[in-house]
Amino acid sequence: MNKVKKVLYISQEIYPYLPETEMSKMGRYLPQAAQERGRETRTFMPKFGLINERRNQLHEVIRLSGMNLIIDDTDHPLIIKVASIQSARLQVYFIDNEDYFQRRCLTADENGVEYADNDERIIFYARGVLETVKKLRWTPDIIHCQGWMTALAPLYIKKAYADDPFFKKSKIVYSVFDDDFKTPLCKGFAQKALVDGVELADLNGLDKKAADFATLSKLAIHYSDGVIQARPKVNKRVMDYAKAQSKKILDYPGEEYAEAYVEFYDSLAEE
């Protein structure tokens, strides 16, 4: 019998909605592989402006939209859209907002300059996913975060939802990719990330140091139950931190990763 029945994927990139990369391919094929092994899945990604809504047949889910998320004292409407990859029987939910996800590029502009509001974008994305999953009334056994834009989800689950029975038994997995960003997030990031249940002391020192890729990844790992090295070469400081924290780790399993990932989920469910 499968120990894990429901897996929530919080992804940064999913093919074919975005160009084909190692991360986007995993975002596409890993949920399918989990479903083929008897697991029920839900999958989320940001609705970047690059995504062609008509060609991909996205449509808004009115019953899930309509909430406002407050970031830095400003209301930002949360819009939820959905599409299906018919060949995989895979449904994908998109987190959308006109302020954050209408640009044609993902995390940096055409000249490679990273967006100054990437800090607010990842706050909005993580909070938007978790609020939407609650509205779906779908409690996951495993929550798998892929990509640095998902790095705040573990913090919010373990702190903001600490007393909420909805996520109480969920195990969190964080995948480390080779997607390091160059410009640290804005200095006010830690203060903006605060919500009910999250204090500055919970941010693993992010209020006192620049939120670069390694520091942000360490925050995600700190609140995760398991860590996966998703690419052959990733930031060494990040993986060394995971080992020092005695986290359950899946080393890079190679290109045929699906079976190893699902077995890793089951091993976490046993703990």
Side-chain angles (χ1 to χ4, degrees):
M1 179 179 290
N2 297 334
K3 297 177 180 66
V4 168
K5 293 184 171 65
K6 296 180 179 180
V7 184
L8 169 63
Y9 290 98
I10 307 178
S11 297
Q12 183 169 316
E13 301 177 15
I14 300 175
Y15 176 81
Y17 303 108
L18 294 177
E20 192 170 350
T21 65
E22 293 302 324
M23 185 187 291
S24 70
K25 287 191 295 183
M26 189 169 288
R28 159 65 177 84
Y29 294 108
L30 179 56
Q32 179 181 351
Q35 287 185 164
E36 290 169 349
R37 288 161 175 77
R39 278 65 174 184
E40 185 180 343
T41 70
R42 294 288 185 275
T43 304
F44 282 79
M45 71 172 290
K47 211 298 289 178
F48 295 109
L50 179 65
I51 297 169
N52 187 308
E53 294 194 33
R54 179 171 295 183
R55 184 172 66 236
N56 292 294
Q57 299 182 353
L58 273 67
H59 62 272
E60 185 175 351
V61 186
I62 302 298
R63 68 184 179 87
L64 298 176
S65 297
M67 180 184 297
N68 279 357
L69 300 181
I70 300 173
I71 300 175
D72 202 23
D73 296 325
T74 302
D75 281 357
H76 299 275
L78 173 61
I79 301 167
I80 308 301
K81 295 174 181 176
V82 70
S84 296
I85 300 175
Q86 298 294 345
S87 60
R89 291 180 299 143
L90 186 68
Q91 197 170 51
V92 179
Y93 292 90
F94 297 83
I95 298 296
D96 198 6
N97 173 269
E98 289 188 4
D99 297 324
Y100 296 135
F101 297 116
Q102 293 300 306
R103 296 159 223 172
R104 296 291 299 171
C105 299
L106 305 189
T107 60
D109 65 21
E110 294 86 349
N111 299 314
V113 178
E114 285 153 341
Y115 294 126
D117 65 349
N118 275 342
D119 59 339
E120 295 187 12
R121 298 170 88 213
I122 68 172
I123 293 167
F124 186 88
Y125 181 46
R127 290 177 56 190
V129 170
L130 299 177
E131 288 297 331
T132 304
V133 173
K134 285 198 66 176
K135 277 191 175 183
L136 288 169
R137 298 181 181 178
W138 189 83
T139 303
D141 301 307
I142 296 289
I143 301 171
H144 190 166
C145 303
Q146 302 191 89
W148 63 262
M149 289 194 77
T150 73
L152 286 182
L155 165 71
Y156 288 145
I157 294 164
K158 292 293 179 72
K159 288 297 180 178
Y161 295 92
D163 299 322
D164 191 327
F166 193 86
F167 293 115
K168 197 75 173 179
K169 296 181 179 180
S170 300
K171 299 288 187 177
I172 305 171
V173 176
Y174 186 74
S175 278
V176 181
F177 284 85
D178 52 356
D179 61 329
D180 302 36
F181 55 88
K182 301 177 182 66
T183 307
L185 302 180
C186 293
K187 289 183 178 179
F189 169 60
Q191 194 68 43
K192 292 178 186 177
L194 300 182
V195 294
D196 288 344
V198 176
E199 301 176 353
L200 283 176
D202 300 323
L203 285 162
N204 212 23
L206 269 178
D207 58 320
K208 299 172 183 174
K209 57 182 120 175
D212 58 12
F213 174 84
T215 310
L216 185 65
S217 300
K218 289 176 184 179
L219 177 69
I221 288 169
H222 183 76
Y223 290 102
S224 296
D225 300 289
V227 180
I228 295 175
Q229 182 176 329
R231 300 297 301 141
K233 293 182 180 180
V234 299
N235 190 297
K236 186 176 183 298
R237 284 193 295 152
V238 172
M239 292 310 300
D240 285 348
Y241 177 83
K243 292 169 185 173
Q245 294 290 301
S246 300
K247 297 294 181 180
K248 193 174 186 70
I249 295 173
L250 176 63
D251 293 323
Y252 178 63
E255 296 300 321
E256 301 298 324
Y257 55 81
E259 195 67 40
Y261 276 42
V262 175
E263 287 178 1
F264 189 67
Y265 300 158
D266 283 341
S267 70
L268 284 172
E270 292 175 347
E271 297 181 349

